[in-house]
Amino acid sequence: MISTIVITVLFSAVSLMTYRVYHFDALQEQGRMAAEMIRLAVTHEMDEGNPEHKNPYVESLIGITSLKSAHIIPSKQVVEQMAIDTSGRDPVSDVELKVIETGSEYEEILYGENDIRFHYTIPYVASSGGKTNCLNCHDVAEGTILGAVSLEIDVTGQFYAAIRNTVGIVFLFVLFGFALAIALRRLLKPVDITADELKHTVSLAESGNFSSRITKYSDDEMGEIADRTNHFMDTLENSIGSIANDVDTLMSHHQFTERDNLLNTTVSVVNTMAMVSRFKQVIENDRTLEDVYERFQALLRQQFKLTRYSFYELSEDNNSLIPVFNSGLAEGEELWCTKEITENCDYCRASRTALLTSSLDEMNICPSFNPGAQQDKLYHVCMPMILSGKVGGILQLVFSEEEKQTVSDDLPVLQAFIHEAAPVIESKRLMKSLKDSSLRDPMTNLYNRRFLDEYLSSLTGTIKRRKSQIGVVMCDIDHFKMVNDTYGHEIGDDVLKGACSIITNTIRNSDIAIRFGGEEFLILLLDSTEEGSLMVADRIRIQLEAFKFKTSQGDITKTMSLGVSMFTAENEDFWAVVKQADVALYQAKNSGRNQVIRYIDGMKSED
């Protein structure tokens, strides 16, 4: 319809302009012929000497044509030459004077109240050519303007005829456009409806809803589009829905929150699986369990933007939780929970139930949670890590009211990471346990000489970088062979275990105790002074001397001889320092046993 209106307006404008140009040219030609006839009549009558005969001719010409008025305007020169009386004549207009002056034709359309007229004025030029020689009567040069012929033609009828014709054509155009619009509407209605339904269907599909279908209105191309679109939507609904369900089954430890959006759900599930899979591949190639834990902390900080958290390992030996790493604690605090969980894991609800424990729904769900001096209201979520069918670790998240929604949304993804990381952590733990067992003495659980061989370069390198020193203490139980010979090897083993217990309880956690062989032990006191090393060695000697070992034959006591030397940053040979401690030990035994002797330069042994 808009196209029809535009075409109609353009055609009307073009038609009216065409009518105007055509009729204007026709009127010019008609005016030129009438003016020429008048000029010829005037010239003829003047040549015959009857100048007054022109008036009846002009009047009769006006009467038989559409010419409404006509008159001749002589130039000033002709008026003077011929002594023409200009009184009673029509006044000469500026246009007519201009034509006489310039010798150019002039035409215009005059719109009156009752009619429309075409005004045409041509110059009357003196000429010696033709049948009449104007120069015979007028004393002028060739081409002189002798006057002008001015006339008006009534074009009212022609004007309105053009309007009627144009209106008729416009009506036909409008009628044709209306009929065309009806026909096109009937033809394009299926296209319009199909396009609307297609737009609606695609809009729903973009939001993840593939249930919409398009109605088939015809068997043409639109019908084919409807069929193909419906088939495509069936495929999307079945395939993507199946993928989402299958992936969700694989990750059955959570439920996504976007179930109303099938497409977003599927994309979210696949992205989560890909992210979790990449994380698992990375930690599988990490060298140690500590590297895995460090990467897990980076994941919590960078990926999930968490600042308060803890991770605990479950110790199978004494049924306790061992803190591995934590973050966000106030100064002076060590745990987000009470210390009882490190002594008995049953105090931890997540460890005891093997279920996710959250204070989002029940604020005091676990009495062991202890935020300490934190002033803000804090929530916590504890997620158990299942290893070999039982709890092997606990990931604890602590968060504020502002972080509540974010953590709640991220929990399914975090559970996915824990689920996929669990077998890797279990494998790393097993490898670490196997390695530790190969580096420890099975009876005393102290490190063995293999541990020293493997970590010696790292240990001495650290001491040199820090410009520190190590107190090297060589210990030997006095007359140990007599215990085995008198009381048996079982009592001998009890004495060894008791001596080891005294040593480990006396030294710091950072110090290292090694069973060097038989009843001989090597103690490395890291970052210790000479006075401190001698004091620790003597404390071990005193405590062992005071300890009573229970046997079937009564209580027994044992003593220990100890030799001390110092490994400093200036030393190059660690084993030479160990040899010095061994020499000092020999001197202690040779000097009566049950004493601590510091190595002095020049001290020698008989071995």
Side-chain angles (χ1 to χ4, degrees), residues 7-74:
I7 292 174
T8 301
V9 171
L10 291 176
F11 181 81
S12 301
V14 171
S15 297
L16 291 174
M17 290 178 63
T18 302
Y19 272 119
R20 177 180 174 84
V21 172
Y22 173 75
H23 286 290
F24 198 79
D25 291 342
L27 288 172
Q28 280 184 318
E29 188 62 29
Q30 185 179 354
R32 188 176 291 108
M33 290 177 62
E36 187 64 24
M37 290 173 64
I38 293 173
R39 189 183 68 79
L40 289 174
V42 172
T43 303
H44 177 71
E45 294 300 326
M46 291 294 290
D47 189 49
E48 294 292 330
N50 300 312
E52 299 300 329
H53 287 179
K54 67 180 186 303
N55 293 329
Y57 178 80
V58 173
E59 292 174 359
S60 63
L61 187 64
I62 292 174
I64 63 174
T65 66
S66 58
L67 193 64
K68 294 300 180 183
S69 65
H71 59 277
I72 302 171
I73 304 98

Side-chain angles (χ1 to χ4, degrees), residues 510-557:
S510 59
D511 297 331
I512 301 172
I514 300 170
R515 185 180 180 187
F516 209 62
E519 70 275 17
E520 194 173 29
F521 304 95
L522 177 65
I523 303 172
L524 305 179
L525 305 175
L526 306 183
D527 301 319
S528 178
T529 62
E530 179 177 334
E531 293 76 14
S533 300
L534 291 170
M535 183 179 64
V536 170
D538 198 53
R539 188 182 300 141
I540 293 173
R541 181 192 66 80
I542 292 171
Q543 290 185 10
L544 181 63
E545 183 182 19
F547 191 81
K548 297 183 182 300
F549 296 93
K550 304 293 182 182
T551 70
S552 58
Q553 301 178 30
D555 296 343
I556 62 172
T557 58

Side-chain angles (χ1 to χ4, degrees), residues 9 266 295 337 568:
V9 171
T266 303
R295 198 176 301 279
C337 295
T568 64

Side-chain angles (χ1 to χ4, degrees), residues 387-405:
L387 305 179
S388 299
K390 57 184 178 181
V391 177
I394 303 292
L395 175 63
Q396 182 184 45
L397 310 179
V398 183
F399 47 93
S400 63
E401 181 72 30
E402 292 75 16
E403 300 169 306
K404 180 179 177 181
Q405 187 59 50

Side-chain angles (χ1 to χ4, degrees), residues 346-413:
D346 287 340
Y347 282 97
C348 174
R349 186 184 183 94
S351 174
R352 186 176 68 254
T353 63
L355 298 173
L356 184 142
T357 301
S358 172
S359 65
L360 291 173
D361 299 322
E362 182 62 40
M363 194 63 192
N364 298 317
I365 191 168
C366 183
S368 295
F369 177 64
N370 180 27
Q374 302 277 356
Q375 298 298 318
D376 298 335
K377 179 181 178 181
L378 297 177
Y379 298 88
H380 70 98
V381 171
C382 296
M383 293 177 283
M385 177 182 288
I386 306 301
L387 305 179
S388 299
K390 57 184 178 181
V391 177
I394 303 292
L395 175 63
Q396 182 184 45
L397 310 179
V398 183
F399 47 93
S400 63
E401 181 72 30
E402 292 75 16
E403 300 169 306
K404 180 179 177 181
Q405 187 59 50
T406 301
V407 173
S408 180
D409 293 340
D410 288 341
L411 277 181
V413 182

Side-chain angles (χ1 to χ4, degrees), residues 150-398:
S150 181
L151 52 85
E152 289 183 357
I153 301 173
D154 188 359
V155 295
T156 306
Q158 298 176 11
F159 178 81
Y160 287 113
I163 295 294
R164 287 192 299 271
N165 292 337
T166 301
V167 170
I169 294 175
V170 168
F171 176 75
L172 292 177
F173 259 102
V174 172
L175 186 63
F176 172 76
F178 183 73
L180 181 62
I182 294 176
L184 288 177
R185 181 170 178 80
R186 293 186 62 184
L187 289 173
L188 298 179
K189 185 176 181 180
V191 178
D192 188 33
I193 297 176
T194 301
D196 286 341
E197 292 189 4
L198 181 60
K199 180 180 178 181
H200 177 69
T201 300
V202 172
S203 177
L204 291 178
E206 287 178 345
S207 64
N209 184 353
F210 305 115
S211 61
S212 180
R213 298 294 181 269
I214 300 175
T215 304
K216 182 178 179 181
Y217 292 97
S218 61
D219 294 326
D220 56 6
E221 289 82 356
M222 289 296 103
E224 185 176 357
I225 288 175
D227 285 339
R228 289 181 177 271
T229 302
N230 291 338
H231 177 71
F232 181 60
M233 299 304 294
D234 288 337
T235 302
L236 285 178
E237 186 172 31
N238 294 332
S239 59
I240 294 184
S242 176
I243 292 172
N245 292 332
D246 290 344
V247 174
D248 209 18
T249 300
L250 291 174
M251 302 178 69
S252 57
H253 46 274
H254 69 86
Q255 292 291 328
F256 282 92
T257 59
E258 297 180 307
R259 297 302 300 176
D260 58 326
N261 191 323
L262 193 57
L263 185 59
N264 290 343
T265 298
T266 303
V267 172
S268 178
V269 171
V270 173
N271 287 342
T272 300
M273 287 194 65
M275 184 169 56
V276 172
S277 178
R278 286 193 297 270
F279 179 76
K280 182 180 180 181
Q281 292 173 4
V282 170
I283 63 175
E284 282 177 340
N285 295 318
D286 280 336
R287 188 173 62 89
T288 65
L289 182 61
E290 288 72 21
D291 293 339
V292 174
Y293 286 145
E294 184 61 35
R295 198 176 301 279
F296 210 93
Q297 287 192 78
L299 176 76
L300 295 174
R301 292 191 303 266
Q302 299 169 12
Q303 182 69 33
F304 296 98
K305 310 301 181 184
L306 294 170
T307 57
R308 305 180 186 95
Y309 51 81
S310 295
F311 185 81
Y312 304 90
E313 280 186 352
L314 183 67
S315 173
E316 296 183 357
D317 296 336
N318 54 11
N319 199 36
S320 63
L321 290 177
I322 303 172
V324 178
F325 58 78
N326 55 54
S327 176
L329 287 164
E331 186 176 355
E333 296 181 358
E334 299 178 357
L335 302 173
W336 286 108
C337 295
T338 58
K339 290 188 177 182
E340 285 83 358
I341 65 170
T342 62
E343 301 170 0
N344 187 344
C345 63
D346 287 340
Y347 282 97
C348 174
R349 186 184 183 94
S351 174
R352 186 176 68 254
T353 63
L355 298 173
L356 184 142
T357 301
S358 172
S359 65
L360 291 173
D361 299 322
E362 182 62 40
M363 194 63 192
N364 298 317
I365 191 168
C366 183
S368 295
F369 177 64
N370 180 27
Q374 302 277 356
Q375 298 298 318
D376 298 335
K377 179 181 178 181
L378 297 177
Y379 298 88
H380 70 98
V381 171
C382 296
M383 293 177 283
M385 177 182 288
I386 306 301
L387 305 179
S388 299
K390 57 184 178 181
V391 177
I394 303 292
L395 175 63
Q396 182 184 45
L397 310 179
V398 183

